[in-house]
């Protein structure tokens, strides 16, 4: 099956980034949101991201117009019926995701593939809400999607070989990213490892071993990280990091996943990182360090 039209259900930060990346690959995208306000905001942010690329001469005005023409906005999830692949990208809430998958299962005829961008939740549990769990799979993209060339392809217990093979072809041939096979486990590979590092960096800061700036410099310069772990946490959103650690701590019961008290304090104080302009560091409206 050749994938030419893709549904993206959820127009948050990840949904916007995934839709932009898919359209830049020449694919038709159906972007679905629940309210007109959220849909308009998603469109505004996609335009904003493209304008930043324009400023850097990464694309032309004509290319921007072609790319935007590839994204069809709608409040009707039923329009995903024409898609060969649908990617769910709503917030990390199991019950809300189950409801989306029940609708997609009813709307999208086989052999359409139903994928989730979840970073911590059980694909197997999601798949069991459908009549054909063998066509459910995980596609975990990492933000910013257009720049990060890795996708975790997560197999649920009942994911079929056909679904996996088709998804891997899509990742590696259609959108030309590196796909890694992951068998379902809380946090998969990327979230599990990076959240553990972030949590330890917060413990290190709380114990006053070093300043936030120096902790990040140690990893950024010493180990060639693009960002240090504390700035990474700011860019992920401290509330999202806390939610991921809470889920892994609950699933594994291992103390290494217990969220740092400093992280909890900052979330309670509303210092969530780039989304609020302040976390471990301060940021301007473009998300650049102040």
């Amino acid at each position: 099956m050749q994938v030419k039209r893709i549904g993206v259900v959820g127009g948050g930060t990840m949904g916007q980034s995934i839709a932009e990346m898919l359209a830049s690959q020449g694919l038709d995208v159906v972007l679905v949101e629940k309210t007109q306000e959220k849909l308009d905001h998603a469109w505004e942010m996609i335009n904003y991201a493209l304008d930043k690329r324009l400023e850097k001469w990464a694309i032309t005005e004509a290319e921007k117009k072609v790319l935007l023409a590839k994204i069809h906005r709608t409040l009707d999830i039923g329009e995903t019926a024409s898609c060969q692949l649908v990617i769910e990208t709503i917030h990390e809430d199991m019950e809300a995701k189950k409801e989306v998958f029940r609708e997609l299962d009813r709307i999208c005829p086989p052999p359409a593939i139903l994928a989730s961008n979840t970073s911590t939740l059980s694909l197997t549990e999601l798949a069991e809400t459908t009549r054909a769990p063998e066509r459910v799979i995980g596609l975990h993209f990492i933000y910013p999607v257009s720049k990060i060339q890795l996708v975790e392809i997560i197999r649920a217990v009942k994911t079929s070989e056909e679904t996996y093979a088709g998804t891997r072809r899509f990742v590696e041939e259609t959108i030309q990213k590196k796909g890694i096979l992951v068998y379902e486990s809380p946090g998969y590979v990327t979230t599990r490892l990076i959240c553990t590092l972030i949590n330890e960096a917060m413990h290190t800061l709380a114990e006053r071993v070093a300043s936030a700036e120096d902790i990040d410099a140690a990893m950024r310069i010493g180990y060639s990280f693009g960002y240090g772990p504390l700035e990474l946490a700011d860019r992920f959103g401290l509330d999202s990091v806390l939610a991921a650690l809470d889920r892994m701590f609950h699933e594994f019961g291992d103390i290494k996943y217990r969220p740092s008290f400093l992280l909890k304090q900052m979330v309670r104080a509303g210092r969530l990182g780039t989304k609020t302009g302040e976390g471990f560091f301060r940021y301007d409206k473009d998300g650049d360090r102040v």
Side-chain angles (χ1 to χ4, degrees):
M1 178 182 66
Q2 190 172 7
V3 177
K4 294 183 178 180
R5 187 173 176 86
I6 303 169
V8 177
V9 181
T13 301
M14 285 304 299
Q16 296 157 21
S17 194
I18 291 170
E20 178 193 338
M21 178 275 297
L22 294 172
S24 71
Q25 294 287 343
L27 298 163
D28 292 317
V29 181
V30 178
L31 180 60
V32 184
E33 256 297 358
K34 291 185 72 173
T35 68
Q36 190 63 49
E37 182 182 9
K38 289 182 177 180
L39 194 59
D40 290 343
H41 176 71
W43 189 247
E44 180 184 338
M45 295 308 293
I46 290 170
N47 270 277
Y48 181 69
L50 293 175
D51 285 341
K52 290 185 75 173
R53 290 172 64 184
L54 262 174
E55 290 172 7
K56 296 175 181 177
W57 299 85
I59 58 172
T60 65
E61 188 68 45
E63 287 171 329
K64 176 189 171 183
K65 289 179 180 178
V66 170
L67 194 153
L68 289 175
K70 289 285 185 181
I71 304 174
H72 173 66
R73 296 163 285 164
T74 182
L75 299 176
D76 181 11
I77 196 171
E79 293 194 35
T80 59
S82 60
C83 299
Q84 295 85 43
L85 168 67
V86 182
I87 306 170
E88 168 273 313
T89 67
I90 70 169
H91 58 288
E92 291 285 87
D93 179 275
M94 178 61 83
E95 292 308 313
K97 287 180 184 287
K98 283 181 177 179
E99 183 56 38
V100 169
F101 271 80
R102 287 188 195 100
E103 289 191 71
L104 293 176
D105 182 53
R106 176 179 57 82
I107 293 163
C108 304
I113 295 170
L114 307 181
S116 175
N117 185 57
T118 181
S119 59
T120 57
L121 299 178
S122 169
L123 265 300
T124 298
E125 187 174 343
L126 277 176
E128 287 306 305
T129 65
T130 70
R131 294 165 295 179
E134 64 275 5
R135 65 173 176 151
V136 175
I137 198 164
L139 272 178
H140 181 221
F141 293 89
I142 301 170
Y143 185 84
V145 177
S146 60
K147 294 181 180 179
I148 305 297
Q149 298 305 310
L150 180 82
V151 184
E152 288 182 296
I153 305 172
I154 304 103
R155 292 190 71 152
V157 170
K158 295 182 181 177
T159 301
S160 70
E161 188 60 38
E162 182 182 8
T163 296
Y164 169 69
T167 304
R168 184 142 202 153
R169 280 196 303 273
F170 164 74
V171 168
E172 298 194 335
E173 296 175 16
T174 305
I175 61 174
Q176 299 178 2
K177 293 185 183 289
K178 170 63 178 176
I180 62 167
L181 170 60
V182 180
Y183 292 97
E184 184 178 311
S185 177
Y188 312 132
V189 174
T190 55
T191 302
R192 180 173 177 172
L193 296 183
I194 200 62
C195 282
T196 308
L197 174 64
I198 287 170
N199 205 36
E200 193 59 38
M202 292 177 190
H203 287 315
T204 305
L205 178 62
E207 293 165 14
R208 300 184 181 180
V209 175
S211 68
E213 187 70 50
D214 284 348
I215 289 169
D216 269 20
M219 301 308 295
R220 192 180 65 253
I221 300 170
Y223 288 91
S224 300
F225 277 45
Y227 296 110
L230 298 175
E231 184 171 347
L232 262 180
D234 281 349
R235 294 186 178 281
F236 290 155
L238 299 188
D239 51 341
S240 298
V241 174
L242 177 58
L245 282 166
D246 271 336
R247 289 189 194 100
M248 289 189 287
F249 183 47
H250 174 76
E251 290 287 338
F252 289 114
D254 192 318
I255 197 169
K256 69 183 176 185
Y257 300 111
R258 187 173 67 189
S260 161
F261 183 68
L262 177 59
L263 174 60
K264 293 181 178 181
Q265 278 186 319
M266 294 187 71
V267 171
R268 288 168 186 157
R271 293 172 57 181
L272 307 180
T274 54
K275 66 176 76 175
T276 59
E278 186 176 11
F280 289 101
F281 305 101
R282 294 176 60 212
Y283 305 86
D284 61 23
K285 62 181 180 65
D286 292 331
D288 295 323
R289 283 274 296 275
V290 175

